[in-house]
């Protein structure tokens, strides 16, 4: 997700930028850098690793500058390295930029620029922007117009800060789909990806809206639209304290990250959906994936992961079997590695790990590679051990996940796996072109549908306020919904410490139903119309034994009337993709139960974000 900052004023720009970046390290910490105007030149200092390494690097330098831009990186394109760190500069070092976002058409733009003789120094998508600005600038030496013309060539999301040696009095910035705030000081002005970076200096800000440009001078800020027309807007006054500001105004990272899921899903999905000239989604594209060919001949997919990532793997089992008709085995990594698994060279091996550092998952990956299998990793962390050791990597573009309880990493993992299953279905001929197009179009509607669910979070909050004292909670579901049930139960126990378990609904009467009494809450996930009757019977079975019953369902037909105490309605969606929706109310329920019970959901007891020991 990255953090960008900028400063024009009279103070020591390096210090202002570094202090501001410290407040944005939660947005990324793979590398950091600054570009400041020193005398007549742009001076760039950047390096891999956390901000403290940059501080150490420049500790003995005396940099005289009162204006500059800075960046803290969460890698998406190109591993964490000095070269891939921002700021990026044009070939003669006269223009420098910082960027937060993803340029979706960068590969085509890069190829075009390379054909014109531009030499790239990094593997980032960002670098194309600075070379494009440079090219445009050479036409008329008007940096503002050069930036505008460049913006019109970019597809994707961006918040940008641009510094040009020939314009030593200003910083130009622009926003499309990535946040950018302009801080208004007295005799100084600022930009930042988020408010915490500004609070030390000012509480008066412009929140840039979609497709707005700000030009910062020492004594004023001018605002424009993407056509270069001047616009006028009222500044806002920030009331948040620093703690609230770091969480974007949310009380906890967990609820912030739950609410970030529409954007995280959009970011993860969009660069991967190929469209034809009429805007019809036609195919899935994985830049990193070179093993298309294996999908045709493989007879089995083996997936290993831990915890939440393992549950994403279970969703994938249903998806691959349904869409691509491939047999899938899903294993908990800690079991897989010790049971002398039977593997075939033609198996496709997938590991899933948010952190990319989970020791059991890593060991499973190494075991598979030793057996000669190709490994695809799905991870959120570019440069992580898993990403380096796998043959192919599909990155979830969820941005850093800080809360221990995984939320946006899960939905983006599921999303990547669904995209992969669609791709596999297409390659294996089990999905027609029409099927592919329909599924992809439906996927594109998912972020909006998640937003619809999030708008109803008060309903879940109220339900949690009535149920948080339940002695035991059981989640039940069938097929795809059984995976959601597992993940829901994990989420709840993890942050609220309520005893919760998940069962395939059909298993209830083979044992678990003995636990049902009036101290139990049963949450049924019911998204598949052809199974409504079956799961409806399960609800009646537990309700008649005293349990309180909630159903999470897209049903509109009244299929569950009289069978439950509460119905939480989610938007309609094909059962193949619905796991991306059914989990959202369950995440909210876990969060609000934790709050009701007085626990900090961001720091659940006994748990660590990344489990790097056995
Ligand atoms: O980083 P990983 O995805 O490999 O982590 C795996 C599990 O430790 C993780 O998903 C854990 O279960 C979550 N904290 C649950 O919310």
């Amino acid at each position: 997700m990255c953090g960008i900052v900028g400063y024009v004023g009279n103070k020591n720009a390096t210090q202002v930028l570094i202090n501001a970046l410290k407040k944005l390290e939660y947005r990324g910490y793979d590398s950091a850098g600054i570009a400041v105007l020193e005398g007549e030149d742009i001076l760039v200092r950047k390096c891999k690793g956390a901000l403290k390494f940059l501080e150490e690097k420049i500790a003995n330098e005396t940099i005289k500058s009162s204006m500059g831009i800075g960046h803290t990186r969460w890698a998406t394109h190109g591993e964490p390295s000095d070269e891939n760190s921002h700021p990026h500069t044009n070939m003669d070092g006269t223009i420098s930029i910082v960027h937060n976002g993803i340029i979706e058409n960068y590969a085509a733009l890069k190829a075009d620029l390379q054909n014109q003789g531009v030499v790239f120094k990094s593997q980032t998508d960002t670098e194309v922007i600075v070379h494009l600005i440079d090219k445009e600038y050479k036409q008329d030496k008007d940096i503002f117009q050069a930036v505008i013309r460049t913006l019109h060539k970019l597809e994707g999301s961006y918040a940008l800060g641009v510094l040009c040696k020939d314009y030593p009095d200003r910083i130009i910035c622009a926003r499309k789909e990535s946040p950018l705030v302009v801080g208004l000081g007295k005799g100084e002005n600022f930009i930042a990806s988020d408010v915490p970076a500004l609070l030390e200096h000012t509480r008066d800000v412009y929140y840039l809206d979609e497709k707005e440009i700000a030009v910062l001078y020492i004594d004023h800020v001018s605002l424009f639209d993407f056509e270069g027309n001047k616009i006028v807007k009222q500044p806002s006054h920030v009331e948040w304290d620093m703690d609230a500001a770091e969480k974007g105004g949310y009380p906890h990272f967990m609820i912030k990250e739950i609410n970030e899921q529409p954007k995280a899903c959009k970011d993860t999905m969009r660069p991967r959906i190929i469209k034809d000239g009429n805007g019809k989604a036609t195919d899935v594209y994985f830049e990193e994936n070179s093993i298309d060919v294996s999908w045709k001949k493989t007879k089995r997919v083996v997936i290993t992961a831990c915890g939440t990532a393992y549950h994403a793997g279970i969703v994938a089992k249903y998806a691959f079997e349904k869409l691509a008709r491939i047999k899938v085995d899903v294993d908990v990594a800690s079991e897989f590695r010790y049971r002398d698994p039977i593997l075939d060279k033609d198996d496709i091996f997938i590991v899933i790990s948010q952190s990319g550092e989970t020791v059991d998952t890593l060991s499973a990956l190494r075991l598979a590679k030793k057996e000669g299998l190709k490994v695809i990793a799905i991870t959120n962390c570019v440069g992580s051990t898993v990403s380096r050791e796998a043959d192919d990597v599909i990155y979830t573009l969820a941005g850093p996940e800080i809360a221990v309880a995984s939320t946006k990493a899960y939905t983006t993992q599921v999303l990547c796996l669904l995209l992969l299953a669609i791709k596999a279905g297409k390659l294996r001929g089990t999905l027609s072109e029409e099927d592919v197009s329909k599924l992809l179009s439906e996927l594109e509607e998912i972020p909006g549908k998640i937003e619809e669910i999030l708008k109803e979070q008060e309903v879940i909050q109220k339900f949690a306020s009535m149920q948080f004292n339940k002695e035991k909670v059981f989640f039940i579901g069938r097929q795809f919904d059984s995976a959601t049930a597992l993940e829901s139960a994990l989420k709840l126990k993890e942050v609220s410490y309520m005893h919760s378990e998940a069962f395939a609904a059909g298993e209830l009467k083979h044992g678990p139903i003995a636990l049902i009494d009036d101290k139990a809450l049963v949450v049924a996930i019911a998204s598949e119309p052809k199974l409504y009757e079956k799961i409806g019977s399960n609800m009646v079975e537990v309700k008649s034994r005293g349990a309180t019953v909630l159903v999470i369902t897209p049903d509109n037909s009244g299929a569950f009337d009289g069978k439950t105490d509460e119905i939480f309605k989610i938007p309609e969606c094909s059962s193949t993709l619905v796991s991306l929706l059914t989990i959202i109310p369950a995440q909210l329920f876990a969060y609000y139960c934790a709050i009701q019970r007085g626990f900090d959901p961001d720091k659940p007891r006994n748990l660590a974000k990344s489990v790097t020991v056995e």
Side-chain angles (χ1 to χ4, degrees), residues 133-336:
I133 296 176
D134 175 69
K135 191 177 142 204
E136 295 295 332
Y137 181 63
K138 286 191 174 122
Q139 282 181 32
D140 54 10
K141 297 280 175 188
D142 182 336
I143 189 66
F144 181 67
Q145 291 303 332
V147 170
I148 288 191
R149 290 196 294 271
T150 299
L151 299 181
H152 286 277
K153 295 190 166 129
L154 301 177
E155 286 167 22
S157 58
Y158 46 85
L160 286 178
V162 182
L163 197 60
C164 176
K165 163 185 154 75
D166 298 342
Y167 288 81
D169 60 342
R170 71 196 73 174
I171 292 173
I172 299 174
C173 43
R175 173 214 154 133
K176 180 177 166 266
E177 294 177 32
S178 295
L180 196 56
V181 193
V182 176
L184 305 167
K186 292 199 171 40
E188 56 184 0
N189 290 302
F190 311 80
I191 52 164
S193 295
D194 203 355
V195 166
L198 305 174
L199 287 186
E200 188 187 334
H201 306 283
T202 180
R203 287 181 168 268
D204 295 319
V205 303
Y206 288 131
Y207 290 102
L208 283 197
D209 285 315
E210 274 306 275
K211 297 195 170 184
E212 284 183 356
I213 298 173
V215 185
L216 274 69
Y217 302 85
I218 193 164
D219 55 355
H220 72 284
V221 173
S222 302
L223 302 174
F224 303 88
D225 64 20
F226 268 23
E227 307 311 317
N229 303 309
K230 231 175 170 162
I231 53 174
V232 179
K233 63 197 286 178
Q234 288 307 310
S236 310
H237 188 74
V238 178
E239 304 287 355
W240 293 335
D241 63 18
M242 184 60 87
D243 185 52
E246 276 176 355
K247 296 174 185 131
Y250 291 99
H252 298 97
F253 282 109
M254 182 179 174
I255 188 72
K256 176 173 182 272
E257 288 161 5
I258 289 174
N259 279 281
E260 280 171 354
Q261 289 177 109
K263 171 144 185 3
C265 286
K266 238 186 251 171
D267 286 348
T268 300
M269 169 167 50
R270 269 206 332 214
R272 272 92 188 225
I273 295 186
I274 300 175
K275 294 194 172 168
D276 66 13
N278 301 319
K280 183 177 166 191
T282 54
D283 204 352
V284 180
Y285 164 77
F286 289 117
E287 174 197 321
E288 311 88 348
N289 199 345
S290 58
I291 59 165
D292 283 8
V293 73
S294 318
W295 289 104
K296 286 185 192 151
K297 61 172 184 184
T298 192
K299 292 203 172 56
R300 185 170 72 142
V301 175
V302 180
I303 301 177
T304 64
C306 302
T308 289
Y310 166 69
H311 298 151
I314 297 177
V315 177
K317 176 179 171 67
Y318 288 102
F320 276 109
E321 293 191 348
K322 182 169 178 183
L323 302 178
R325 305 302 298 151
I326 313 179
K327 176 175 158 43
V328 180
D329 289 333
V330 192
D331 251 311
V332 167
S334 54
E335 287 296 304
F336 175 84

Side-chain angles (χ1 to χ4, degrees), residues 442 445 449 452 554-556 569-574 578 581:
E442 234 203 295
E445 290 171 12
K449 291 182 179 178
E452 280 178 48
D555 175 58
N556 272 325
K569 171 93 178 52
I570 57 167
E572 278 176 36
C573 178
S574 87
V578 78
L581 302 184

